[in-house]
Amino acid sequence: MRNEETIYLKDYAPAPYRIVSVDMEVTFAPEQCRVRTQLTIEPLPATAPGTPLILDGDELRLTSIAIDGAPLVLSAYEATADSLTLHEPPQRRFVLETDVMVEPEANTKLMGLYRSNGTWCTQCEPEGFRRITYFLDRPDVLATYRVTMIADRTLAPVLLANGNPAGTGDAGDGRHFAVWDDPHPKPAYLFAMVAGDLGVITDSFTTASGKAVDLGIYCEHGKEGECHWAMDSLKRSMAWDERRFGREYDLDVFNIVAVSDFNFGAMENKGLNIFNDKYVLAKAETATDGDFEGIERVIAHEYFHNWSGNRITCRDWFQLCLKEGLTVYRDQEFTSDERSRAVKRIEDVRTLRATQFPEDSGPLAHPPRPDHYREINNFYTATVYEKGAEVVRMLATLLGEAGFRKGMDLYFERHDGDAATIEQFLKVFEDANGVDLEQFKLWYLDAGTPTVEVADSYDEASRTYRLTLTQRTLPTPGQPEKAPRVIPVRFGLVGPNGAPTTWSRVSGDVRDDMVVLTGETTTITFEGVANRPVPSLLRDFSAPVKLVSPLSQEDQLFLARHDSDPFNRWQALQDVAMALMVDAATLGRPWTEASASALADALAETATAPSLDDAFKALALTLPTEASVARTIGVDVDPERIHTVRRALLADIVKRAAPVLEGVYHSLASTEGYAPTAAQNGRRALRNAILRVLVLGGAQGADALAAEQYAHATNMTDRADALEAVVLAWTPDAERLLADFRLHYGNDPLVLDKWLALHARAPDDGVVGRLRAMLADPAFPRNNPNRLRSLVGTFGMSNPAQFARPDGAGFQFVASFVADVDTRNPQVAARALTAFRVWRSFEPGRRSAAEAALRSLEATPGLSRNVADILGRTLAPS
Ligand code: PHE
Ligand code: ZN
């Protein structure tokens, strides 16, 4: 079957025909919408006469077809639900007119045209446009669009599409119409329409060259007051892209619509971004600091796509990270500039390690630019997004800020209007900087996270310090051999008292504060070094690798106190805690009192250091997660043991540091009015991180402190964080406070998500039973991706000990959920299934329980291609 085929990058060929312009008329009505499309098509010069034209479709029903106004005879074409073939199209420019019917209310896949809370909306990336009309649905087919929307005035007073407004009017029968014109040629995946009865807030932005842009954010009536932070974020994003990258907006209007049912975070459709409402709506009483930060980040991300994604798009879906990796890098830089750079870096690395590292070391590993896929929807991954951003960041690190900007300027100049490739992206940096990026390109082509192993020695007599770095990447599916990569390692040598160590001579490839690894092993010799230094390596996490260093706990704690690089100060504390937990969980060798005390003292000192900012301190006080301990252990993992060990370490820290931590906690109380600023967020983050340590570590009186904070909180951050501490520790208050939370916030779906997600993280043995009961409740919104992800997604990814219960109940729960949801929304199902990517790292009993759950899913008839693809790769022999 055509649908089941694997698609290969090496088979890329342009389509034999171009679609130059699109003129659509869409009539919205309950049950069925009618889509009339006129495509202006022409053969490429090289196309042989008689070459058929095959347009993509998906669940479409054709009701009429004509070329240049003349209806086609049956023998001239073949129409099925998923394709339309013209056997012998004219060998000149012609207009193909089709009429199809689509059923938005029946569309539970949320791809193409669907209805969310009564609003008609679309999602076309990557292959949704073919569910609206027959088309060459591939990103290298760029056309201009004119769209006429017709709908009942009361059902849909608001009619929006891409581009600029080009007229409205009466359409008879209580209906009205609106015309939208998008002058910028775009691929079909950027197409969007919204029709509904929505509220709006408006504003305007004047670009650097003096053009006024009308801004609108649309939402459910009554939620307008929750859109202001999103609007503020949008205006700051527009100004930032001008300042930092010289990129101006290019239409008269920019609209954002918040919808409640959405498979991803948001979508960058040209001039009409459609958002999951969780990334638009916020107010202090119901949204946390994290929610506000998420909104700012995603608004920026989608806006930045206007240049990195829309003006320059992807030639094919293998190039997805061309737009995604680059745009994530851009949104990371935006947040770094708007907030704290060091804190943002640490948070991004935590995300990378939590999401991308496990992907990269398991059965779903793939390069940022894959060379084959069965289902493209399964490649919107942490590797494409987050590792893609790391690769761009390394380019900036290697070329320096000015060299990187020169390359970006050339990229926008040379490729504006193109559907481009990774090769073309790398070429602009080569041309702008006169460098060769051939070896660097491996970062895009190879899967797997390199390990960089460090050895060092100091010779007192010759005052020589030697550093040896060795890189190695383990095999990944389909890639048994790995060549060495270009790895920028930013570093410093820290001397006694924390002062930087100087040297008189150095041999090896060292530039200023950076060693660039290109071969398997690199040795650098520093001469004239007065004392044995402590090396601070991979500063600012200059490459997405695993650093294995022989530093003692004492050296690590020295760095935690003295390193001038904030990232490595944080990393050193993490490493100390990690080593203690890994040893205790694997060797059954608990830490000595001295080593736990040393860590506790360092944490207490960090919490009170006047020179560090609060958000940084909060991150420092957060021990590595259970999942990251599991990943470090790697094989024969027993998640329950890890859970116990982590709690025990927290208890030891609390025993020693509680008085200091409590003091800091109380000193941070505030009566200031709520604002989601970096300073306020940081203060709350630190206070709540301390509360979490105290509660999880079983400090005396901590439960009462948490219950009190919960009761008296004046914002959602403090309330939700107090509840989180209580739930993760499963204190006697947990069930009572969860019930109270439900009572107060159960009517706000986005807050309900927090409640569901907390339930999913409960550590007690009753959790699977409770989650099952919630899902079985007929009132549970069983088609809303946010609700489903909050409950089951969170359970699979963030409750390792219960997901991997030894009796297999956690595995079975997720597997049967996947089978059920797959019948309605395959994308949500496939994503939930990726929780199993770590299954081979478990100890034998859990491993076979996981396999049994996967096998029973495999036996389910009629699995979607999305789920079958993930399942096949997850089970493939390693
Ligand atoms: N392109 C979107 C983004 O990263 C993500 C997305 C993919 C949304 C597929 C919907 C569907 O900004
Ligand atoms: Zn994106």
Side-chain angles (χ1 to χ4, degrees):
M1 255 190 4
R2 201 165 67 93
N3 268 349
E4 301 306 319
E5 269 167 25
T6 299
I7 321 265
Y8 293 93
L9 171 59
K10 65 176 168 44
D11 294 339
Y12 172 82
Y17 294 84
R18 308 200 304 137
I19 300 178
V20 186
S21 64
V22 181
D23 197 328
M24 292 170 86
E25 183 191 281
V26 182
T27 309
F28 294 87
E31 308 302 330
Q32 289 208 326
C33 294
R34 176 180 175 199
V35 182
R36 287 179 54 174
T37 309
Q38 296 190 325
L39 302 177
T40 302
I41 302 177
E42 59 188 29
L44 296 194
T47 298
T51 305
L53 168 61
I54 306 171
L55 300 178
D56 305 295
D58 186 3
E59 300 184 42
L60 292 180
R61 190 157 58 79
L62 183 73
T63 56
S64 83
I65 180 166
I67 285 183
D68 293 332
L72 287 195
V73 296
L74 273 178
S75 61
Y77 69 95
E78 189 190 342
T80 67
D82 58 16
S83 72
L84 171 62
T85 304
L86 300 185
H87 300 308
E88 271 186 79
Q91 290 308 295
R92 50 169 170 79
R93 187 180 268 233
F94 65 97
V95 175
L96 172 69
E97 186 174 334
T98 60
D99 228 317
V100 303
M101 299 300 270
V102 296
E103 296 180 8
E105 354 274 313
N107 184 355
T108 58
K109 294 181 181 170
L110 312 186
M111 273 208 313
L113 178 61
Y114 65 95
R115 231 167 157 191
S116 174
N117 282 350
T119 299
W120 283 284
C121 60
T122 57
Q123 172 52 43
C124 291
E125 184 180 8
E127 297 178 335
F129 193 65
R130 63 185 64 183
R131 294 168 60 78
I132 299 174
T133 192
Y134 291 106
F135 202 73
L136 288 173
D137 191 5
R138 41 187 289 167
D140 60 348
V141 172
L142 275 58
T144 57
Y145 286 67
R146 186 181 172 84
V147 179
T148 304
M149 302 168 70
I150 304 167
D152 184 278
R153 281 183 190 277
T154 45
L155 279 181
V158 173
L159 299 174
L160 304 170
N162 312 98
N164 294 319
T168 56
D170 189 71
D173 286 341
R175 299 180 312 167
H176 67 148
F177 74 87
V179 183
W180 289 86
D181 220 321
D182 187 359
H184 298 281
K186 66 167 178 287
Y189 81 84
L190 291 173
F191 174 86
M193 295 185 297
V194 172
D197 185 6
L198 297 166
V200 63
I201 67 164
T202 61
D203 208 324
S204 88
F205 180 85
T206 304
T207 67
S209 56
K211 206 173 100 114
V213 181
D214 289 332
L215 311 176
I217 301 186
Y218 292 80
C219 62
E220 213 175 279
H221 283 295
K223 299 263 164 96
E224 295 86 346
E226 296 185 46
C227 296
H228 295 292
W229 177 250
M231 184 63 90
D232 183 64
S233 302
L234 174 60
K235 291 194 288 181
R236 285 185 285 120
S237 303
M238 295 177 86
W240 184 89
D241 213 11
E242 294 183 346
R243 243 180 9 248
R244 181 77 189 268
F245 283 100
R247 297 296 113 202
E248 277 188 38
Y249 188 61
D250 55 5
L251 288 166
D252 304 338
V253 300
F254 187 80
N255 287 318
I256 291 175
V257 180
V259 301
S260 301
D261 301 272
F262 200 77
N263 279 345
F264 278 84
M267 181 62 210
E268 69 263 23
N269 317 299
K270 185 80 186 186
L272 176 57
N273 289 0
I274 297 182
F275 270 62
N276 187 322
D277 57 7
K278 83 180 225 166
Y279 288 118
V280 174
L281 305 176
K283 58 177 194 284
E285 304 81 68
T286 56
T288 62
D289 295 341
D291 295 329
F292 278 91
E293 287 170 16
I295 290 167
E296 179 181 84
R297 169 177 62 81
V298 178
I299 293 270
H301 179 95
E302 306 311 330
Y303 175 73
F304 297 154
H305 267 313
N306 191 54
W307 276 94
S308 49
N310 301 2
R311 295 285 293 237
I312 306 178
T313 191
C314 302
R315 188 192 72 174
D316 52 68
W317 290 122
F318 297 105
Q319 322 292 332
L320 183 58
C321 74
L322 177 69
K323 75 176 177 80
E324 294 305 346
L326 177 56
T327 304
V328 171
Y329 170 76
R330 276 151 54 70
D331 84 54
Q332 290 176 347
E333 284 298 290
F334 168 74
T335 302
S336 304
D337 286 348
E338 296 279 304
R339 294 172 179 270
S340 154
R341 182 161 287 271
V343 166
K344 176 63 174 162
R345 188 66 189 133
I346 294 167
E347 287 171 347
D348 287 340
V349 173
R350 284 211 313 189
T351 304
L352 184 82
R353 287 181 177 148
T355 61
Q356 202 275 330
F357 278 22
E359 183 166 274
D360 224 1
S361 61
L364 302 178
H366 57 276
R369 189 179 73 181
D371 59 10
H372 65 280
Y373 62 77
R374 273 180 70 197
E375 170 52 64
I376 188 57
N377 276 296
N378 289 339
F379 282 83
Y380 288 78
T381 59
T383 296
V384 167
Y385 278 70
E386 268 71 39
K387 185 166 180 178
E390 290 299 320
V391 176
V392 175
R393 183 169 298 279
M394 279 190 288
L395 267 180
T397 301
L398 288 163
L399 300 174
E401 198 174 329
F404 180 73
R405 174 68 196 263
K406 265 199 285 178
M408 286 300 295
D409 287 348
L410 182 57
Y411 180 61
F412 291 126
E413 182 192 318
R414 185 184 281 175
H415 292 294
D416 189 12
D418 287 352
T421 61
I422 289 297
E423 280 75 9
Q424 291 172 319
F425 179 67
L426 289 174
K427 187 77 166 48
V428 296
F429 293 98
E430 294 188 325
D431 291 357
N433 292 280
V435 295
D436 178 346
L437 294 172
E438 198 50 36
Q439 189 188 1
F440 183 82
K441 191 180 169 191
L442 284 180
W443 280 107
Y444 282 107
L445 306 186
D446 277 6
T449 308
T451 296
V452 174
E453 206 167 327
V454 184
D456 71 342
S457 62
Y458 179 69
D459 180 51
E460 219 174 308
S462 62
R463 297 163 44 111
T464 302
Y465 178 68
R466 192 168 280 123
L467 199 52
T468 303
L469 303 174
T470 306
Q471 63 163 302
R472 195 164 72 106
T473 307
L474 294 175
T476 53
Q479 295 186 330
E481 308 280 339
K482 305 283 185 181
R485 298 193 206 172
V486 180
I487 302 179
V489 180
R490 291 195 44 227
F491 78 101
L493 303 182
V494 187
N497 311 319
T501 291
T502 53
W503 53 86
S504 54
R505 257 172 60 105
V506 58
S507 62
D509 186 4
V510 178
R511 330 177 190 162
D512 305 329
D513 62 347
M514 186 159 69
V515 185
V516 181
L517 313 188
T518 51
E520 228 156 83
T521 299
T522 304
T523 299
I524 304 127
T525 307
F526 301 87
E527 289 171 68
V529 177
N531 295 286
R532 186 190 81 91
V534 179
S536 166
L537 299 169
L538 208 68
R539 280 182 163 173
D540 204 34
F541 198 69
S542 56
V545 301
K546 294 180 183 161
L547 190 71
V548 180
S549 101
L551 290 192
S552 63
Q553 189 193 55
E554 196 189 337
D555 283 347
Q556 298 276 23
L557 291 178
F558 174 79
L559 288 181
R561 289 194 169 91
H562 297 297
D563 203 323
S564 60
D565 181 62
F567 181 88
N568 272 0
R569 286 180 77 155
W570 170 81
Q571 184 65 59
L573 288 170
Q574 296 288 303
D575 287 347
V576 169
M578 179 68 88
L580 299 183
M581 291 190 281
V582 167
D583 281 0
T586 53
L587 310 173
R589 182 177 72 202
W591 44 82
T592 61
E593 204 186 307
S595 58
S597 298
L599 173 60
D601 291 347
L603 292 175
E605 200 181 311
T606 302
T608 50
S611 63
L612 298 171
D613 77 43
D614 289 342
F616 174 89
K617 294 177 182 178
L619 290 165
L621 287 172
T622 305
L623 297 192
T625 61
E626 291 168 31
S628 69
V629 177
R631 195 169 352 102
T632 305
I633 294 172
V635 291
D636 283 329
V637 168
D638 175 348
E640 204 175 331
R641 239 195 109 60
I642 294 172
H643 178 80
T644 309
V645 161
R646 189 173 184 275
R647 286 291 295 267
L649 182 57
L650 281 161
D652 277 5
I653 289 168
V654 159
K655 254 187 243 150
R656 192 163 169 106
V660 174
L661 295 179
E662 278 161 15
V664 178
Y665 174 89
H666 290 296
S667 77
L668 291 168
S670 159
T671 51
E672 214 179 343
Y674 179 89
T677 57
Q680 277 201 19
N681 291 11
R683 188 169 44 65
R684 284 185 287 270
L686 176 55
R687 193 159 182 264
N688 297 338
I690 290 175
L691 183 68
R692 204 184 313 121
V693 169
L694 293 173
V695 174
L696 282 165
Q700 241 209 339
D703 293 4
L705 201 59
E708 188 183 302
Q709 176 172 321
Y710 174 86
H712 297 118
T714 56
N715 59 72
M716 182 52 77
T717 305
D718 288 339
R719 181 154 293 144
D721 281 359
L723 184 58
E724 181 194 79
V726 163
V727 170
L728 293 187
W730 206 245
T731 71
D733 289 329
E735 288 183 284
R736 177 177 65 80
L737 294 186
L738 278 168
D740 178 83
F741 192 85
R742 165 92 218 211
L743 198 66
H744 283 92
Y745 300 105
N747 293 330
D748 183 325
L750 295 177
V751 195
L752 182 63
D753 286 344
K754 299 182 195 310
W755 184 82
L756 295 170
L758 274 181
H759 262 288
R761 291 168 68 197
D764 77 308
D765 283 338
V767 60
V768 171
R770 288 194 301 272
L771 300 193
R772 270 191 203 287
M774 286 180 197
L775 270 183
D777 184 338
F780 193 89
R782 52 207 286 276
N783 281 336
N784 180 279
N786 290 3
R787 302 304 93 75
L788 298 173
R789 275 191 292 256
S790 297
L791 198 72
V792 186
T794 306
F795 177 72
M797 294 296 185
S798 311
N799 197 344
Q802 289 295 324
F803 173 56
R805 285 164 58 105
D807 65 2
F811 298 136
Q812 283 159 20
F813 169 64
V814 175
S816 57
F817 169 85
V818 169
D820 174 44
V821 171
D822 194 37
T823 60
R824 302 184 295 279
N825 189 329
Q827 283 185 45
V828 169
R831 198 157 285 251
L833 180 57
T834 61
F836 281 93
R837 64 195 175 186
V838 292
W839 75 275
R840 277 204 177 85
S841 67
F842 294 129
E843 49 78 25
R846 286 175 169 86
R847 208 184 307 151
S848 53
E851 181 165 6
L854 290 168
R855 295 285 171 207
S856 75
L857 179 62
E858 198 182 26
T860 309
L863 289 178
S864 68
R865 182 165 37 154
N866 306 57
V867 164
D869 170 41
I870 298 283
L871 188 57
R873 285 190 277 148
T874 303
L875 280 167
S878 60

